[in-house]
């Protein structure tokens, strides 16, 4: 049986709190399983069966979570789609991946009470399809089975001391692999899963564990500084999704909160490497069951969490090379006993014959105290072919003086050819989900060049 069904019949778990809703209400494992069974009946009534492909479009909600788990319980495949996508793109994704049923929040309002539904659990059957943040065209749909999600969860739970007595905030979207990673850690341990309430950071501080991107960690630090007498349960924060400033993680130490710097990918069901944050830039060692090697500076991965393949034309196509490894296109080096991520191989560009890795420049710029976030991109240049420019989000209004201060800071920290030749305010309106797309930023920059 699936984890939620198993916990519902175990005397030590059945009446324990499994879920805390956005309204602050609680569900036990028995009540949670009943809700999932209701959703199974709803899906069956709509015609969903074990051969179906089901999509959901919506932000995190209890009903979306029930739909996700109910689809898996039925033996069908489930795909999450970002609700911020235009309707045309959602339709195109559903057509391309031959989705049989697509559900929005409004479709899930009236679920009927039913008896307990039983289904033979198959942990190795294709269960989830997760869209990658593809740089061109439609994103790939990565297929995982339940066992891969649980294998990934086990390594993270071991590292972060997450067990049935702890709670994790569902702080990241369920259509993203990081959000799913939270769900499977909860299900692996039989712990509590909390949905954020109206005050995100207040509800965050009620949980023992949380996953954040660095900009959220900065906001949490601001929240704690603004509310110095607040009590909190949070003790462990997993970070990923962008470069993680060591200066920021060290500030959490005085609050008794441990932060963990992680590296993962959709094809591996979330986190692959992680360590307790320190003053070094690396992401530590591979977690339990993961394997890695470096080939011409490219990171190759396999082991716990590896996907079954990509979904295409109603079949699963391989994602590993003929040696069984997935080639990540991420550049890394092994330094001081840990993996250091340099950047994406496909982000590198050539300027006047010199190789430039944008992430290397970003890691230096982010060290400046006035910078919240930065992206470095290539801009066409007649003399050098391409030159680096920076799109910056300052923690003060974007201004000529803010840029000049940053340029002065970089003078002795970057080679001349790596120093950006122009600075633009980061267009935050392009943000979708938990990552800003470099492709969207490049398109925005190209338009600025046309204007100028």
């Amino acid at each position: 049986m699936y984890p939620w069904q198993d916990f519902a019949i175990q005397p030590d778990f059945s009446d324990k709190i499994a879920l805390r809703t956005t309204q602050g209400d609680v569900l036990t494992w028995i009540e949670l399983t009943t809700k999932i069974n209701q959703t199974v009946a709803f899906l069956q009534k709509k015609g969903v069966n074990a051969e179906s492909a089901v999509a959901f479009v919506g932000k995190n909600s209890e009903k979306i979570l029930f739909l996700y788990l109910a689809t898996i319980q039925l033996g069908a495949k489930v795909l999450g789609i970002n609700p911020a996508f235009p309707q045309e793109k959602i339709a195109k994704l559903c057509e391309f991946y031959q989705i049989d049923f697509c559900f929005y929040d409004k479709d899930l309002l009236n679920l009927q009470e039913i008896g307990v539904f039983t289904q033979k659990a198959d942990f190795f059957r294709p269960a989830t399809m997760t869209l990658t943040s593809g740089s061109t065209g439609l994103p790939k749909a990565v297929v995982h089975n339940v066992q891969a999600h649980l294998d990934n969860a086990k390594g993270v739970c071991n590292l972060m001391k997450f067990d049935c007595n702890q709670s994790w905030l569902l702080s990241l979207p369920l259509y993203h692999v990081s959000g799913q990673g939270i769900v499977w850690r909860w299900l692996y341990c039989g712990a509590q899963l909390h949905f954020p309430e109206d005050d995100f950071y207040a509800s965050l501080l009620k949980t023992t564990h949380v996953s954040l991107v660095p900009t959220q960690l900065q906001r949490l630090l601001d929240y704690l500084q603004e509310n110095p007498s607040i009590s909190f349960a949070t003790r462990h924060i997993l970070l990923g999704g962008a470069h993680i400033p060591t200066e920021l993680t060290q500030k959490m130490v005085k609050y008794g909160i441990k932060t963990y710097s992680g590296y993962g990918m959709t094809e591996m069901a979330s986190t692959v490497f992680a360590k307790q944050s320190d003053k070094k830039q690396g992401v530590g060692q591979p977690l339990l069951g993961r394997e890695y090697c470096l080939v011409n500076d490219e990171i190759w991965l396999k082991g716990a969490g590896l996907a079954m393949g990509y979904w295409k034309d109603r079949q699963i196509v391989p994602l590993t090379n003929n040696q069984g490894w997935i080639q990540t296109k991420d550049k890394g080096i092994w330094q001081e006993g840990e993996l250091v991520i340099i950047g994406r191989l496909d982000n590198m560009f050539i300027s006047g014959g010199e190789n430039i890795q944008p992430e290397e420049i970003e890691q230096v710029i982010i060290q400046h105290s006035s910078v919240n976030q930065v992206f470095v991109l290539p801009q066409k240049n007649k003399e050098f072919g391409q030159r680096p420019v920076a799109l910056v989000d300052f923690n003060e209004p974007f201004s000529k003086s803010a840029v000049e201060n940053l340029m002065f800071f970089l003078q002795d920290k970057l080679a001349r050819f790596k120093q950006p030749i122009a600075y633009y305010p980061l267009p935050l309106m392009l943000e979708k989900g938990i990552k800003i797309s470099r492709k969207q930023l490049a398109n925005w920059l190209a338009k600025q060049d046309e204007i100028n």
Side-chain angles (χ1 to χ4, degrees):
M1 58 183 67
Y2 289 106
W4 53 93
Q5 297 171 316
D6 191 29
F7 292 128
I9 63 170
Q10 286 190 42
D12 290 345
F13 283 88
S14 57
D15 292 321
K16 282 184 67 174
I17 295 173
L19 186 71
R20 191 174 294 274
T21 72
T22 50
Q23 305 303 315
D25 300 326
V26 297
L27 294 177
T28 65
W29 284 103
I30 287 180
E31 292 167 336
L32 171 73
T33 302
T34 300
K35 293 286 188 185
I36 295 168
N37 290 335
Q38 290 169 10
T39 312
V40 166
F42 163 82
L43 292 173
Q44 287 182 309
K45 193 173 180 181
K46 294 288 186 181
V48 177
N49 60 44
E51 300 306 315
S52 300
V54 175
F56 66 84
V57 184
K59 295 180 179 178
N60 286 358
S61 68
E62 292 85 356
K63 291 196 184 316
I64 289 288
L65 176 66
F66 301 154
L67 177 73
Y68 176 83
L69 297 176
T71 305
I72 293 170
Q73 184 170 308
L74 259 172
K77 293 173 289 296
V78 62
L79 170 74
I81 299 178
N82 187 341
F85 286 167
Q87 193 60 45
E88 182 183 353
K89 183 171 182 178
I90 292 172
K92 192 177 289 186
L93 285 166
C94 288
E95 180 185 4
F96 186 79
Y97 290 114
Q98 298 179 301
I99 298 300
D100 303 300
F101 302 88
C102 182
F103 296 102
Y104 291 75
D105 291 309
K106 63 180 183 294
D107 300 320
L108 306 172
L109 295 177
N110 300 307
L111 303 182
Q112 302 299 313
E113 291 289 334
I114 61 158
V116 173
F117 177 88
T118 57
Q119 170 81 26
K120 180 172 169 46
D122 183 350
F123 282 29
F124 296 93
R125 183 183 181 88
T128 64
M129 300 189 293
T130 311
L131 298 177
T132 63
S133 50
S135 55
T136 58
L138 285 176
K140 294 176 181 175
V142 181
V143 181
H144 281 98
N145 56 36
V146 167
Q147 191 60 54
H149 283 297
L150 291 172
D151 287 344
N152 182 285
K154 184 178 180 180
V156 179
C157 293
N158 284 3
L159 174 74
M160 295 182 63
K161 299 177 175 55
F162 186 62
D163 59 31
C164 64
N165 300 310
Q166 315 287 337
S167 54
W168 206 303
L169 186 75
L170 189 55
S171 53
L172 300 171
L174 198 51
Y175 54 77
H176 192 278
V177 74
S178 299
Q180 293 178 57
I182 296 169
V183 167
W184 291 102
R185 291 164 212 150
W186 161 59
L187 293 172
Y188 175 78
C189 293
Q192 287 187 28
L193 182 69
H194 289 202
F195 277 85
E197 298 175 40
D198 289 339
D199 186 331
F200 178 84
Y201 291 99
S203 48
L204 182 162
L205 293 170
K206 293 177 185 175
T207 60
T208 60
H209 290 64
V210 66
S211 303
L212 299 176
V213 294
T215 50
Q216 290 174 312
L217 184 65
Q218 179 61 61
R219 289 170 194 155
L220 173 60
L221 184 62
D222 294 342
Y223 188 94
L224 288 169
Q225 290 171 343
E226 290 163 10
N227 300 274
S229 60
I230 195 169
S231 60
F232 55 89
T234 310
R235 290 293 175 264
H236 303 270
I237 298 177
L238 179 60
L239 298 165
H243 171 66
I244 302 160
T246 55
E247 181 185 334
L248 183 56
T249 59
Q250 293 306 300
K251 287 179 181 176
M252 301 307 297
V253 174
K254 72 173 185 178
Y255 292 99
I257 297 174
K258 293 179 180 177
T259 60
Y260 300 79
S261 302
Y263 162 72
M265 62 185 311
T266 305
E267 286 84 349
M268 291 294 290
S270 192
T271 310
V272 182
F273 281 73
K275 66 167 185 181
Q276 190 173 327
S277 303
D278 53 26
K279 294 181 180 179
K280 297 193 294 184
Q281 294 288 351
V283 291
Q285 307 274 341
L287 298 182
L288 186 68
R290 286 79 155 158
E291 297 178 56
Y292 86 99
C293 65
L294 293 173
V295 180
N296 298 324
D297 290 338
E298 183 181 18
I299 302 166
W300 289 13
L301 299 171
K302 65 179 180 180
L306 180 64
M308 302 174 75
Y310 296 118
W311 185 247
K312 189 176 183 182
D313 298 329
R314 283 196 175 274
Q315 60 183 339
I316 297 171
V317 299
L319 48 67
T320 54
N321 61 22
N322 56 16
Q323 297 161 272
W325 297 89
I326 179 162
Q327 298 178 218
T328 66
K329 295 183 181 175
D330 287 325
K331 184 178 181 181
I333 57 172
W334 194 256
Q335 186 173 290
E336 296 183 310
E338 64 177 345
L339 181 68
V340 178
I341 310 298
I342 304 299
R344 293 285 298 173
L345 289 168
D346 46 12
N347 286 343
M348 193 182 76
F349 62 92
I350 299 173
S351 178
E354 299 280 1
N355 289 344
I356 291 186
Q357 190 71 48
E359 293 91 340
E360 179 192 354
I361 301 173
E362 291 162 6
Q363 288 181 22
V364 177
I365 294 176
I366 200 74
Q367 292 172 20
H368 192 275
S369 58
S370 71
V371 177
N372 285 331
Q373 199 169 14
V374 60
F375 288 86
V376 171
L377 296 173
Q379 187 176 54
K380 288 182 181 178
N381 182 276
K382 287 182 181 178
E383 184 180 357
F384 295 93
Q386 294 174 307
R387 294 297 303 274
V389 300
L391 282 63
V392 188
D393 174 34
F394 289 108
N395 56 24
E396 59 184 75
F398 189 94
S399 65
K400 185 179 178 181
S401 63
V403 169
E404 287 174 347
N405 288 337
L406 178 56
M407 292 173 68
F408 180 77
F409 171 80
L410 296 176
Q411 277 183 359
D412 61 350
K413 294 176 178 63
L414 285 171
R416 179 63 66 87
F417 70 89
K418 293 181 182 178
Q419 293 178 21
I421 61 164
Y423 292 81
Y424 299 87
L426 180 64
L428 293 175
M429 76 288 292
L430 293 181
E431 187 166 358
K432 303 285 185 187
I434 64 173
K435 286 186 180 179
I436 294 180
S437 162
R438 283 184 187 269
K439 183 173 184 291
Q440 285 184 309
L441 291 175
N443 291 340
W444 179 89
L445 182 62
K447 287 179 183 175
Q448 306 311 303
D449 291 344
E450 289 173 8
I451 293 169
N452 298 328

